[in-house]
Amino acid sequence: MKARRNKKQIPSFRKLIKTSKVKLENKLKNKQFKQQSTLKKYRKEQRKLRQAVKDAVSKKPIPLENPKEKRPGKRIEREEEEEEALPLDMMDEDDLQLMKDLGQRASFLTRDLSSSEPVHAKKRKHEHIIDKYEKIPRTLQTAPEKELIHLLPIKDKSGIIPQTREKPVTDSNKDEEDQEEERELEEITEEPIQELTIEEHLIERKKKLQEKKMHIAALASAILSDPESNIKKLKELRSMLMEQDPDVAVTVRKLVIVSLMELFKDITPSYKIRPLTEAEKSTKTRKETQKLREFEEGLVSQYKFYLENLEQMVKDWKQRKLKKSNVVSLKAYKGLAEVAVKSLCELLVALPHFNFHNNIIVLIVPLMNDVSKSISEMCCEAVKKLFKQDKLGQASLGVIKVISGFVKGRNYEVRPEMLKTFLCLRIKEVEVKKDTEDMNKPKKFMTFKEKRKSLSRMQRKWKKAEEKLERELREAEASESAEKKLKLHTETLNIVFVTYFRILKKAQRSPLLPAVLEGLAKFAHLINVEFFDDLLVVLHTLIESGDLSYQESLHCVQTAFHILSGQGDVLNIDPMKFYTHLYKTLFKLHAGATNEGVEIVLQCLDVMLTKRRKQVSQQRALAFIKRLCTLALHVLPNSSIGILATTRILMHTFPKTDLLLDSESQGSGVFLPELDEPEYCNAQNTALWELHALRRHYHPIVQRFAAHLIAGAPSEGSGALKPELSRRSAAELFEAYSMAEMTFNPPVESSNPKIKGKVLQGDSFLNEDLNQLIKRYSSEVATELPLDFTKYLKTSLH
């Protein structure tokens, strides 16, 4: 027989969809009620079982000799029946006594079975604990029915596939389970933690640090690969600045600071991002434009937060604030602050065009005057670098404004290094002209009349299209005009000179004065002519006061002649007092501390004598040449080389000064070396006998220069200098041989054990000449020189 077909079929998905919403809701409610009722029944049964167990534990055994005394009649009847059942007359007295003793005890047959207490309680003390757990009924873990939620179906080749999801059922016993878990966790935490050894701690720290490094590298590489899509990862990377693990907190924060700094340098655009207006926000844009806007907004906001974090680190270090978390110690604050300041300096130089550059300037300028020398030098070097690479002058103007206000606010009590940064400004007349020449001058287009006269119709059409294209290209380049650049430079110089003049007027005894004089010497040719007379009077007053050091007075002289060599040529000013001052103070130079002023002296001589050759008389030139040759005898070799090179240039500039090489006197009078006036010392009546002493100098280059000057400083022939010496200026030679004498090769062994000199590192001809010098003097030094030549050579080189 065929199996009877089941008429009750499972409804299809379409029928389920067609069923009304009310029916579905009722079905869901019925299922919920069923689940609730089953849960209630289950809880009720559990409660009853627990109560039964409690009752069984609380009951005590009833002794047989103490029955309840509520019904005395029944008690008497029961005693009579027992007496009838037991023929006591037939028992002995010992047996009767035994039976009575047994009746006093509870036996297995007579005791109450509902009691869970053991019979021999005194013998087994811990037996009731085991029985207590054994008597408790087991709880059955009955999982409630899982309710399904119908989702949208999926259509496949095979047909429609229904989709369902389980609905989570709330358990009433969940609170009890949570409480038990909390208790277990408390018990675990109460257990003593095993302390790690130092080696294990270091290994653990290294492992953590490696994980953090990998995480930082992954985030940074993701941002660099696609900045517009992964701009949100900047926030994740910046959140690591608040690392709370005390083992790696300081190192991770430093790594994140440097990583973010490099990221911003790479992904920042070459333009300033402005905030969007309300009209721009409301207009609809393309997806690419919207994506670019989101990237720019995210970049600016994260850059702002990053700068705020760096500022807070520096403030915490300055104020010595200890955070509540106590993750970073006070000693580690300085290291974090140094890394933060270094990042700010890098951003100051790398992103002068981007947002918040003025905020970085306001942070950096006070740190230029910081007590910490390393941070002060770091900030000053960053500002110098910014000045050197700033061609337009916009960023330099912002820094100069802040520095000028800071110096005035501190009442001129700041580090001189702050004002020395002004020397790196790119404001020179030559550079300005060069930059203006490089600028694209606006091209003049032909007028309509000119086109009509000289061009045909087709040529005019092509010319029009070409001019239109050139205009578009010029707008796209957005090149700054030379006028704007000149205006910025003028404003910057005005602020610089205002700062300099304030210090000259109000703080003449300030340590800033050398930096001011040096700056005036550099920018003197750009000062307005109206200030020349007053400025020269101030400089001469400073020199005559005697409060200045030797180098400061030389800077005053240098400044005065820079002023007169530029726009001051048109003024009728006699700078004789400055010539006199330099001539008088030349002998203050010696081989000791004042040797540092030789470079400034050489620069002053170049400006005073060589560049102003038309205003210098022959008597003055002769006096200076004589004094310079005398000075070359008692200074270091590098200074002697620079001074003799200047003498050579003066002999070429003033050809008639070769009369000093002749021993015969010319004119009347006697040379007065002690007189401080170069015009009236009768220098024409003396000779350069110092050159013969310098010809026997131990340094070979000094010997060459002395022999060259004795021969009349010829340009050709046997007495001429090598090109390596003749083509260099006096300042260049002084600097080159100063650097050469600071470094030495290993000692050179000679035949004479008393002579062990050191060869200078520098040009090859210098090393060769000194080796020859040591060989030549190895046999003669003991007889010709009273001093030990080795010591003499060493002290001279040092």
Side-chain angles (χ1 to χ4, degrees):
M1 291 179 66
K2 291 183 180 179
R4 192 178 290 177
R5 190 176 179 183
N6 189 9
K7 293 181 180 180
K8 192 175 181 180
Q9 295 179 352
I10 298 170
S12 63
F13 183 72
R14 290 184 180 179
K15 287 183 179 181
L16 286 173
I17 291 174
K18 287 180 181 179
T19 52
S20 64
K21 190 176 181 181
V22 178
K23 287 182 179 180
L24 290 172
E25 288 178 357
N26 290 337
K27 284 183 178 180
L28 289 173
K29 286 179 181 178
N30 291 335
K31 284 185 178 181
Q32 289 175 1
F33 287 144
K34 279 184 180 180
Q35 288 177 357
Q36 289 175 4
S37 61
T38 52
L39 284 171
K40 283 180 181 179
K41 287 179 182 179
Y42 177 72
R43 288 193 211 110
K44 198 171 182 181
E45 290 174 359
Q46 292 293 325
R47 245 186 269 118
K48 284 180 180 180
L49 285 170
R50 287 195 211 100
Q51 190 64 34
V53 171
K54 286 180 182 178
D55 293 342
V57 172
S58 63
K59 283 185 179 180
K60 296 180 180 179
I62 302 170
L64 295 176
E65 69 275 11
N66 292 326
K68 292 181 180 179
E69 297 178 357
K70 288 183 180 179
R71 296 178 183 178
K74 286 186 178 181
R75 176 180 160 190
I76 296 165
E77 289 176 0
R78 198 176 293 169
E79 287 177 359
E80 288 176 354
E81 288 177 359
E82 286 176 357
E83 287 177 359
E84 290 178 357
L86 293 172
L88 299 177
D89 296 86
M90 298 174 65
M91 299 178 78
D92 295 334
E93 291 181 3
D94 296 334
D95 296 334
L96 184 61
Q97 186 64 33
L98 180 61
M99 291 297 290
K100 285 181 180 179
D101 293 338
L102 288 172
Q104 295 294 326
R105 301 177 187 175
S107 65
F108 176 76
L109 296 173
T110 58
R111 71 186 179 91
D112 189 2
L113 294 175
S114 63
S115 176
S116 63
E117 290 184 356
V119 179
H120 307 285
K122 293 181 180 178
K123 294 180 179 179
R124 298 182 182 179
K125 293 182 180 179
H126 302 286
E127 191 175 353
H128 67 282
I129 299 171
I130 301 168
D131 289 342
K132 188 187 288 186
Y133 287 107
E134 291 294 333
K135 294 290 182 181
I136 294 173
R138 276 38 170 189
T139 56
L140 300 174
Q141 295 180 355
T142 56
E145 283 187 27
K146 293 179 181 178
E147 187 178 352
L148 300 177
I149 299 172
H150 294 282
L151 303 174
L152 291 173
I154 298 171
K155 190 173 182 181
D156 199 359
K157 291 181 180 179
S158 58
I160 296 172
I161 304 170
Q163 298 288 321
T164 57
R165 181 166 62 86
E166 293 180 3
K167 186 176 180 181
V169 181
T170 57
D171 191 0
S172 61
N173 297 328
K174 194 173 182 180
D175 296 335
E176 297 176 3
E177 293 175 359
D178 292 341
Q179 290 177 2
E180 290 177 0
E181 288 178 1
E182 288 177 2
R183 289 171 193 164
E184 290 176 359
L185 286 171
E186 287 176 0
E187 290 175 358
I188 291 167
T189 52
E190 286 175 0
E191 293 179 1
I193 301 171
Q194 295 181 356
E195 295 184 358
L196 299 174
T197 61
I198 296 174
E199 293 180 359
E200 292 174 348
H201 186 76
L202 289 173
I203 293 168
E204 187 69 21
R205 181 185 178 278
K206 191 175 180 181
K207 186 178 178 182
K208 289 180 185 177
L209 194 59
Q210 188 64 26
E211 290 176 359
K212 295 290 182 182
K213 284 180 180 178
M214 294 300 293
H215 187 48
I216 293 169
L219 289 173
S221 60
I223 294 166
L224 283 175
S225 61
D226 192 0
E228 293 185 1
S229 302
N230 299 323
I231 192 65
K232 291 183 179 178
K233 291 190 176 181
L234 268 177
K235 185 177 181 181
E236 185 181 350
L237 183 58
R238 192 177 58 80
S239 65
M240 295 180 73
L241 284 173
M242 301 297 133
E243 178 64 40
Q244 297 299 319
D245 191 351
D247 291 340
V248 294
V250 179
T251 309
V252 169
R253 290 184 187 188
K254 288 180 180 179
L255 290 172
V256 173
I257 289 170
V258 177
S259 302
L260 282 170
M261 181 260 294
E262 294 294 338
L263 280 174
F264 283 122
K265 284 167 66 177
D266 288 338
I267 66 175
T268 301
S270 60
Y271 53 87
K272 192 173 184 178
I273 299 172
R274 62 173 180 83
L276 297 174
T277 60
E278 295 296 330
E280 289 174 341
K281 290 179 181 177
S282 60
T283 55
K284 291 183 178 180
T285 56
R286 294 182 299 172
K287 287 184 178 180
E288 292 81 4
T289 309
Q290 187 63 28
K291 189 176 180 181
L292 180 61
R293 284 182 178 180
E294 290 175 359
F295 165 71
E296 290 177 348
E297 288 177 0
L299 179 64
V300 170
S301 63
Q302 293 303 319
Y303 187 57
K304 179 185 176 184
F305 291 140
Y306 173 65
L307 293 178
E308 288 175 354
N309 290 335
L310 296 183
E311 182 185 8
Q312 191 60 43
M313 287 179 187
V314 177
K315 282 183 179 179
D316 291 343
W317 170 61
K318 287 288 182 186
Q319 299 170 1
R320 301 294 190 271
K321 278 187 177 179
L322 188 63
K323 297 290 184 181
K324 292 180 180 179
S325 60
N326 201 15
V327 175
V328 180
S329 63
L330 284 172
K331 292 181 180 179
Y333 274 172
K334 187 177 181 183
L336 275 175
E338 285 182 352
V339 177
V341 171
K342 189 174 182 180
S343 300
L344 286 170
C345 293
E346 290 285 336
L347 294 173
L348 176 77
V349 178
L351 304 176
H353 59 277
F354 196 58
N355 301 49
F356 310 114
H357 190 256
N358 290 332
N359 302 74
I360 299 175
I361 293 171
V362 173
L363 286 175
I364 290 292
V365 169
L367 294 173
M368 294 170 68
N369 192 43
D370 195 74
V371 180
S372 176
K373 191 176 180 182
S374 59
I375 289 180
S376 175
E377 289 178 354
M378 196 188 304
C379 296
C380 290
E381 288 298 322
V383 171
K384 287 179 182 178
K385 197 173 180 181
L386 178 67
F387 286 162
K388 288 177 182 177
Q389 72 178 28
D390 186 19
K391 292 182 179 179
L392 181 62
Q394 185 73 43
S396 300
L397 178 60
V399 177
I400 291 294
K401 284 180 178 178
V402 179
I403 291 176
S404 178
F406 184 80
V407 171
K408 185 181 178 183
R410 289 296 181 93
N411 198 17
Y412 313 104
E413 293 180 359
V414 296
R415 285 176 175 264
E417 287 77 10
M418 288 189 72
L419 293 183
K420 286 183 179 179
T421 56
F422 291 178
L423 301 174
C424 297
L425 285 168
R426 293 188 61 179
I427 307 176
K428 291 182 180 179
E429 196 172 356
V430 177
E431 288 184 1
V432 172
K433 287 180 179 178
K434 184 180 179 182
D435 292 335
T436 52
E437 288 171 4
D438 293 341
M439 291 290 182
N440 293 325
K441 294 182 180 179
K443 187 177 179 180
K444 291 183 179 180
F445 297 107
M446 295 176 69
T447 60
F448 179 73
K449 289 183 179 180
E450 291 174 351
K451 290 178 184 176
R452 195 168 184 178
K453 285 180 181 180
S454 58
L455 302 175
S456 64
R457 186 176 179 181
M458 185 60 67
Q459 287 175 339
R460 288 199 300 271
K461 190 175 180 180
W462 280 103
K463 193 72 176 175
K464 186 178 179 181
E466 186 181 350
E467 289 175 356
K468 184 180 178 182
L469 181 61
E470 285 182 3
R471 286 194 186 96
E472 290 176 355
L473 287 171
R474 193 181 300 165
E475 289 175 2
E477 286 176 2
S479 57
E480 299 291 343
S481 62
E483 290 80 10
K484 183 179 179 181
K485 183 176 181 180
L486 195 60
K487 186 178 178 182
L488 289 171
H489 284 180
T490 305
E491 189 177 356
T492 304
L493 259 182
N494 287 337
I495 297 171
V496 169
F497 284 137
V498 164
T499 307
Y500 284 163
F501 293 155
R502 278 178 185 163
I503 295 171
L504 282 176
K505 184 179 180 181
K506 297 181 180 180
Q508 292 185 355
R509 296 187 179 181
S510 170
L512 301 176
L513 194 60
V516 170
L517 295 171
E518 194 174 353
L520 284 173
K522 181 173 183 179
F523 301 117
H525 60 285
L526 301 172
I527 301 175
N528 196 343
V529 182
E530 297 174 359
F531 301 113
F532 279 3
D533 287 336
D534 297 334
L535 191 56
L536 287 173
V537 170
V538 170
L539 293 174
H540 182 67
T541 307
L542 287 172
I543 291 172
E544 293 296 325
S545 65
D547 298 331
L548 302 182
S549 65
Y550 184 65
Q551 290 190 13
E552 291 172 359
S553 62
L554 288 176
H555 279 304
C556 286
V557 174
Q558 188 180 8
T559 305
F561 281 97
H562 270 294
I563 291 170
L564 295 174
S565 63
Q567 303 175 44
D569 286 339
V570 296
L571 301 177
N572 189 14
I573 299 174
D574 185 17
M576 185 61 196
K577 50 193 172 186
F578 293 104
Y579 281 104
T580 303
H581 174 72
L582 182 64
Y583 183 79
K584 179 173 61 177
T585 57
L586 274 177
F587 282 152
K588 288 186 179 180
L589 291 175
H590 53 76
T594 57
N595 189 66
E596 297 176 359
V598 172
E599 188 175 3
I600 306 172
V601 168
L602 296 177
Q603 293 173 3
C604 290
L605 291 169
D606 183 50
V607 177
M608 294 166 66
L609 300 173
T610 308
K611 291 182 179 178
R612 291 175 58 87
R613 60 175 68 90
K614 293 180 180 179
Q615 288 86 4
V616 177
S617 63
Q618 184 180 353
Q619 294 292 331
R620 195 178 303 175
L622 289 169
F624 270 98
I625 289 173
K626 174 63 177 176
R627 182 147 290 196
L628 287 175
C629 289
T630 308
L631 179 65
L633 290 172
H634 59 275
V635 290
L636 293 181
N638 55 347
S639 303
S640 296
I641 293 169
I643 289 169
L644 292 175
T646 303
T647 307
R648 174 178 174 272
I649 293 169
L650 291 176
M651 292 178 74
H652 287 170
T653 306
F654 303 97
K656 293 183 180 181
T657 56
D658 58 352
L659 59 91
L660 291 174
L661 300 175
D662 192 359
S663 58
E664 296 181 1
S665 61
Q666 297 182 7
S668 60
V670 182
F671 175 59
L672 303 172
E674 70 281 356
L675 191 67
D676 293 333
E677 295 292 337
E679 292 283 349
Y680 309 109
C681 65
N682 297 326
Q684 72 277 3
N685 293 325
T686 185
L688 299 177
W689 58 266
E690 295 89 356
L691 295 177
H692 292 277
L694 291 170
R695 194 175 183 181
R696 296 182 61 80
H697 198 278
Y698 68 90
H699 200 286
I701 306 302
V702 177
Q703 291 180 21
R704 286 192 185 187
F705 266 102
H708 174 69
L709 292 176
I710 289 172
S715 302
E716 297 177 353
S718 59
L721 292 174
K722 290 183 178 180
E724 293 87 351
L725 299 174
S726 60
R727 291 175 185 175
R728 292 185 180 184
S729 64
E732 289 175 354
L733 285 169
F734 169 74
E735 186 178 356
Y737 283 94
S738 298
M739 295 299 295
E741 292 180 1
M742 290 180 185
T743 55
F744 300 97
N745 277 331
V748 178
E749 299 294 337
S750 63
S751 58
N752 191 344
K754 294 182 179 181
I755 302 174
K756 293 182 181 179
K758 290 186 179 182
V759 183
L760 298 172
Q761 285 184 356
D763 299 331
S764 59
F765 69 87
L766 177 62
N767 295 335
E768 184 182 351
D769 292 342
L770 194 55
N771 286 325
Q772 291 176 0
L773 176 70
I774 291 171
K775 289 178 182 178
R776 183 162 59 86
Y777 272 103
S778 60
S779 58
E780 303 173 1
V781 68
T783 57
E784 293 192 6
L785 291 177
L787 299 174
D788 185 2
F789 181 72
T790 308
K791 292 180 181 178
Y792 187 59
L793 184 64
K794 286 183 180 179
T795 53
S796 301
L797 292 177
H798 282 291

